[in-house]
Amino acid sequence: MLRQRFSPGLRWLPFLALAAILSTTGLAPQTAAADKLDELDCSLKLVPADAGFYAAFLRNKEQIDAIAQSNAWAKLKEMPVLKMGLAMAQIQAANPETPLGKVKLFLDDPTNQELVALLKDMISDEIFVYGGQGTGDFFALAQEVQNSTRFAPLLAQLDDEGLDIEETRQQLALSVLAENLDRNWVPEMVVGFRINDTANAQQHLAELEELITARVGEQEKLKGKLEKKKVDGAEYLTLTLDGEMLPWSKFPTEKLKELEENEGDADKVIAKLKKTKLVMAIGLRDKYLLMSVGASTEPLAKLSQGKRLIERKELKPLARHADKRLTSISYLSKAMAEQMMLGADDIDELKDTAEQLLSETKLSDEQQEKILDGVAELAADIKKYLPQSAPIMSYSFLTGKGIEGYQYNWAGQPLLDGSKPLTLLEHVGGNPMLAVVTRSKSSVEQYDLTAKWVRKALGYVQEFAVPQMDEDDRAEYEKVTKQIFPLLERIDKINREKLIPATADGQSALVIDRKLKSKQIYKGMPKSDEPLPVVEPAVVVGLSDEALFREALKEYKAVFDDLVKAVRTINPKAVPEDYTIPEPEKIETESGDIFGYKLPKHCKMDKRVFPNLGIGDGVAVVSASQKHSERLLTETPLKVGGVLKKTDRPMAVAVVVNCQAMFSLIRPWVDYGIGLYAESDNDGAGMQAAMVKSQVDTVFDVLGVFRKYTSRTYLQKGAVVTHSLLEVQDIESSEE
């Protein structure tokens, strides 16, 4: 079944961002530079080379302290709602009968102070997690089971007798498990915490052992399951559980057998469960407190044994930034990527699913076989464009501007083109609120593949669905297709012969800005005292042949004119006899021609809202206002800085997110809404609005620490590399 995509990437950057606010103040200590990866003092040196995945979070206390000492945090703490919440928490904590009070009693107990110190120690420096290759197999199997159950409602509808959906889910899950008895049913993972006070950790491990031993002794089934083991010189407390311990006498085995798709499935799954072991371990190894789970203690035994992950070639790019203040490192192996990502095997499984679904229909064997042949052909076509499974590595670090990061994906992206600079970066308005610019490989071959399957789908409808219609519906269908299909053929020809060659440049961009301002963008809303910024979306496309593009537009217009006639033929009442699609208004500017339609008066929108298409030298723009199109048609150097300071380098993707511009768009609208509430007839609305306004202002001031995000994606020695920078800066102190 389809598996969810997994990419370590830099997805945690927003959560680490505030930690960089003091990076410009000098309060965060600098680490000594390292010339070699092996000089890194972190868990990366422990993890074996065959790890399925690895993720480490570093300098946690440094980041927490940076937040705690920042002006932004100080201002946030002054919020009345936060002060009120803290006051209520203190009242609760003073009452020993409340949950919070019990927590306070526990924390205040001198005998627990060392435990609290240990917990702080565990999260202060480094937290890491690594999984063996079997972990990916476990998660992939779990995903297959989940995905299989999604087809239960569809199967229930296809069945004449009306299957029970819940039982169908159980049957599908049982079937998947029975087919995968050789897979890993238990993950192999180790979680580690770097410890500074190892003596304190050892003491609490001894206390934990005493507590667990007492509890285990009370359970007959657990006797002999708890023991201390030495693994590679370190001592661990281990608890071994197995499927035999489950209360099988109370298990509804017969009910499970009734759900079997194939005889014996239930017995196979139960036998597998009974043999399955789960071993949990905890112990101290040098300066790391380690916890593991797996079918054995092998994940612990493999630490520092043989070739290490740090020695793999995929980690070599990290060396150039090994002397930075690293905040995260992550790695996903090729084998695990293959297990977790959509691949050829998943496409083949879709064929099996299609066969199962078709078996529940009333189609003949011959018809089912023909459809399955089509599914197999579609699967083969899709596989051509699937990225190959390959390792992914990423890391991030604190800089004087914020958090910088790199991701290396060796799987590649077949449709990305990073061979040239992205010239459309000069057609996003200079400093947009948001811009995503890409260059992809487009070709008639790819378009033909899409057109091929559209035709095949229509053919299946014609062959299998139409004969099932009653006489009236069939006549209506044939009437519609007689008018519409020739138009689709004309559009197909325009696409292939005009549009695709005209846009062969391959560049496109999504641009969102907020320079249009209006006191009343929609006439149905109350006027604001000050003009409010309005979201301005636009799509920009690079042109290789402007003349050919204009020809394509003229031919599309002719097709749509004929579409109106076709609709009138199908249903004379649907379109007035004298109606034709009007010619667009043409506006000539210094940067190009703009074609658009003014909105009807009954839309009640600001007259500057003008859906249009602009065509300039090597670029086409679709936007909602004339001014926006003019800005985008005009060549303007990008002025966002960050990792896009230089735009003359080859790139496949470039991203700009101006956080401050985004907040400056949202904030006036929030103030506008608060103002409307203040003027309402609700009792005390003015006072409540004032209180809310004060707190909203504080929130937006604090959000102001996020300045800008930029990233560029390029191709380098077989890898797709994404270099990103989230710029963060502390707000000014209220005392300044």
Side-chain angles (χ1 to χ4, degrees):
M1 303 302 168
L2 287 175
R3 302 169 186 160
Q4 291 179 339
R5 299 182 70 86
F6 174 84
S7 174
L10 300 173
R11 60 185 180 279
W12 48 76
L13 284 182
F15 301 99
L16 299 175
L18 278 178
I21 19 183
L22 290 187
S23 60
T24 58
T25 67
L27 294 177
Q30 294 284 343
T31 60
D35 294 326
K36 299 178 182 179
L37 273 180
D38 210 38
E39 294 177 12
L40 282 174
D41 189 15
C42 70
S43 56
L44 185 60
K45 298 165 67 172
L46 298 176
V47 179
D50 65 352
F53 73 91
Y54 166 81
F57 305 90
L58 312 165
R59 289 177 172 77
N60 301 316
K61 185 177 184 300
E62 178 181 336
Q63 296 175 72
I64 293 171
D65 288 346
I67 295 172
Q69 297 169 18
S70 68
N71 297 331
W73 182 250
K75 186 160 189 172
L76 197 63
K77 290 193 297 182
E78 292 302 312
M79 287 181 63
V81 65
L82 190 56
K83 281 187 172 181
M84 185 182 299
L86 291 173
M88 292 179 64
Q90 289 175 350
I91 294 173
Q92 291 284 319
N95 182 356
E97 299 300 319
T98 65
L100 200 56
K102 292 177 182 178
V103 172
K104 186 175 184 301
L105 283 176
F106 177 84
L107 296 177
D108 289 344
D109 188 339
T111 59
N112 295 325
Q113 293 301 307
E114 290 181 351
L115 176 59
V116 174
L118 174 60
L119 295 175
K120 290 181 179 179
D121 196 4
M122 288 170 62
I123 65 172
S124 292
D125 194 348
E126 176 189 357
I127 302 173
F128 80 90
V129 58
Y130 108 81
Q133 295 292 353
T135 303
D137 196 28
F138 168 79
F139 286 130
L141 177 58
Q143 189 62 53
E144 287 177 26
V145 172
Q146 181 182 353
N147 286 336
S148 70
T149 61
R150 293 175 182 172
F151 292 102
L154 180 57
L155 284 174
Q157 290 179 6
L158 291 173
D159 189 80
D160 293 336
E161 298 179 3
L163 296 174
D164 180 89
I165 293 178
E166 190 55 40
E167 286 190 359
T168 304
R169 284 196 177 100
Q170 294 170 8
Q171 182 184 37
L172 291 169
L174 177 64
S175 179
V176 172
L177 291 174
E179 292 172 0
N180 292 278
L181 298 174
D182 59 335
R183 303 273 291 275
N184 284 290
W185 287 26
V186 175
E188 303 169 355
M189 296 175 61
V190 174
V191 179
F193 306 86
R194 182 162 180 146
I195 301 296
N196 294 305
D197 190 346
T198 55
N200 186 28
Q202 197 67 59
Q203 175 187 335
H204 282 88
L205 283 175
E207 294 174 359
L208 178 65
E209 178 184 357
E210 184 178 341
L211 176 63
I212 295 178
T213 301
R215 292 295 177 90
V216 167
E218 299 171 0
Q219 302 289 328
E220 184 66 28
K221 288 186 176 182
L222 293 178
K223 286 186 177 179
K225 301 295 184 180
L226 182 71
E227 56 183 325
K228 296 188 77 171
K229 291 183 178 180
K230 274 203 170 185
V231 181
D232 194 27
E235 196 168 52
Y236 298 91
L237 182 64
T238 65
L239 178 64
T240 303
L241 306 175
D242 58 63
E244 291 284 1
M245 299 170 61
L246 294 172
W248 291 106
S249 60
K250 299 179 181 180
F251 193 80
T253 306
E254 294 305 317
K255 177 65 176 175
L256 192 63
K257 289 183 177 181
E258 293 175 6
L259 299 173
E260 291 179 337
E261 182 178 353
N262 300 305
E263 186 177 352
D265 280 356
D267 289 337
K268 292 177 183 177
V269 170
I270 291 173
K272 171 75 173 182
L273 286 171
K274 287 182 177 180
K275 293 179 181 178
T276 299
K277 285 188 177 183
L278 178 67
V279 180
M280 295 177 286
I282 183 171
L284 196 63
R285 177 194 172 111
D286 299 328
K287 52 194 173 186
Y288 286 98
L289 176 63
L290 302 176
M291 304 176 187
S292 78
V293 60
S296 66
T297 56
E298 185 180 0
L300 292 170
K302 296 179 74 171
L303 292 173
S304 288
Q305 296 298 311
K307 189 176 180 180
R308 298 168 300 161
L309 182 61
I310 201 170
E311 298 171 39
R312 292 190 67 95
K313 63 180 181 180
E314 292 88 353
L315 272 294
K316 290 188 182 298
L318 176 60
R320 55 194 286 250
H321 294 112
D323 61 333
K324 303 294 185 181
R325 290 179 290 160
L326 293 167
T327 56
S328 67
I329 306 171
S330 69
Y331 167 81
L332 184 71
S333 72
K334 175 182 178 179
M336 192 159 184
E338 187 173 2
Q339 291 167 331
M340 301 300 294
M341 295 180 180
L342 179 66
D345 290 343
D346 300 287
I347 303 301
D348 290 335
E349 287 173 8
L350 280 177
K351 293 190 295 183
D352 297 337
T353 302
E355 184 174 2
Q356 185 176 4
L357 292 174
L358 285 171
S359 67
E360 302 292 336
T361 68
K362 296 179 180 179
L363 296 174
S364 67
D365 291 345
E366 184 180 350
Q367 290 173 323
Q368 291 185 35
E369 190 65 31
K370 186 170 184 178
I371 293 176
L372 287 174
D373 288 343
V375 172
E377 186 180 354
L378 175 61
D381 286 342
I382 292 175
K383 289 178 184 179
K384 297 175 184 177
Y385 295 97
L386 288 177
Q388 298 297 313
S389 297
I392 301 172
M393 189 275 291
S394 65
Y395 58 91
S396 61
F397 50 90
L398 298 176
T399 73
K401 290 186 175 181
I403 297 180
E404 192 168 351
Y406 287 83
Q407 182 190 73
Y408 290 78
N409 186 341
W410 283 272
Q413 296 294 333
L415 299 181
L416 277 185
D417 182 357
S419 61
K420 295 174 285 189
L422 293 171
T423 56
L424 278 196
L425 285 172
E426 295 187 345
H427 290 279
V428 297
N431 189 14
M433 184 172 72
L434 180 146
V436 180
V437 183
T438 66
R439 175 180 270 115
S440 60
K441 298 174 183 176
S442 60
S443 67
V444 175
E445 179 186 350
Q446 295 170 21
Y447 173 78
D448 281 343
L449 182 62
T450 303
K452 163 188 169 182
W453 285 104
V454 170
R455 289 192 181 93
K456 279 186 174 288
L458 292 173
Y460 288 144
V461 171
Q462 185 74 32
E463 183 174 355
F464 303 127
V466 173
Q468 311 270 342
M469 299 178 182
D470 59 38
E471 189 174 340
D472 291 341
D473 287 343
R474 192 180 307 117
E476 185 67 23
Y477 172 81
E478 291 173 353
K479 182 179 179 180
V480 170
T481 55
K482 183 179 180 180
Q483 296 294 326
I484 300 301
F485 278 11
L487 299 179
L488 293 178
E489 291 295 335
R490 287 169 59 186
I491 290 175
D492 175 54
K493 184 177 181 181
I494 300 168
N495 290 345
R496 183 180 292 102
E497 297 179 0
K498 302 286 177 68
L499 183 65
I500 293 175
T503 58
D505 175 66
Q507 289 187 89
S508 61
L510 170 66
V511 183
I512 300 179
D513 227 322
R514 47 78 176 97
K515 293 182 175 63
L516 174 64
K517 294 184 178 182
S518 175
K519 290 185 177 182
Q520 194 179 31
I521 189 66
Y522 174 65
K523 301 302 180 184
M525 60 182 278
K527 274 189 176 182
S528 61
D529 295 332
E530 298 293 332
L532 298 173
V534 179
V535 176
E536 295 180 285
V539 174
V540 186
V541 178
L543 297 181
S544 300
D545 191 325
E546 180 186 331
L548 201 58
F549 184 74
R550 289 175 182 265
E551 287 180 24
L553 294 180
K554 289 180 181 179
E555 294 188 21
Y556 285 134
K557 172 65 167 57
V559 170
F560 285 115
D561 286 339
D562 289 342
L563 176 62
V564 172
K565 297 176 184 178
V567 172
R568 189 183 292 121
T569 301
I570 296 169
N571 182 1
K573 296 181 180 180
V575 182
E577 182 64 33
D578 59 346
Y579 177 79
T580 57
I581 299 176
E583 291 292 328
E585 181 180 343
K586 180 179 179 181
I587 303 171
E588 296 181 358
T589 72
E590 292 182 358
S591 302
D593 297 332
I594 296 176
F595 305 87
Y597 293 95
K598 291 181 179 178
L599 293 176
K601 291 184 178 180
H602 61 78
C603 288
K604 297 183 179 180
M605 296 296 294
D606 187 302
K607 63 182 180 180
R608 290 173 295 174
V609 177
F610 179 63
N612 69 88
L613 167 66
I615 304 175
D617 185 14
V619 64
V621 176
V622 177
S623 83
S625 71
Q626 177 185 335
K627 292 295 184 183
H628 197 197
S629 287
E630 288 182 20
R631 292 198 304 271
L632 299 180
L633 288 173
T634 304
E635 282 192 19
T636 308
L638 192 66
K639 303 173 183 176
V640 300
V643 302
L644 295 175
K645 189 174 183 179
K646 295 181 179 180
T647 60
D648 57 350
R649 296 175 290 187
M651 281 183 272
V653 183
V655 178
V656 176
V657 181
N658 188 330
C659 304
Q660 289 190 310
M662 195 173 294
F663 299 142
S664 70
L665 167 72
I666 300 171
R667 188 169 187 171
W669 281 96
V670 174
D671 290 344
Y672 170 74
I674 293 172
L676 292 180
Y677 178 75
E679 296 172 2
S680 67
D681 296 332
N682 296 333
D683 293 339
M687 183 177 297
Q688 293 175 18
M691 291 177 59
V692 172
K693 175 71 165 62
S694 173
Q695 295 179 67
V696 166
D697 286 344
T698 299
V699 170
F700 276 107
D701 287 345
V702 172
L703 288 174
V705 302
F706 299 99
R707 303 298 171 132
K708 185 170 43 188
Y709 172 85
T710 53
S711 74
R712 65 185 184 97
T713 299
Y714 54 95
L715 309 181
Q716 183 182 78
K717 296 180 180 178
V720 177
V721 184
T722 299
H723 178 198
S724 63
L725 174 63
L726 178 63
E727 297 182 37
V728 185
Q729 184 178 330
D730 198 5
I731 63 176
E732 294 183 0
S733 170
S734 57
E735 298 178 359
E736 294 178 0

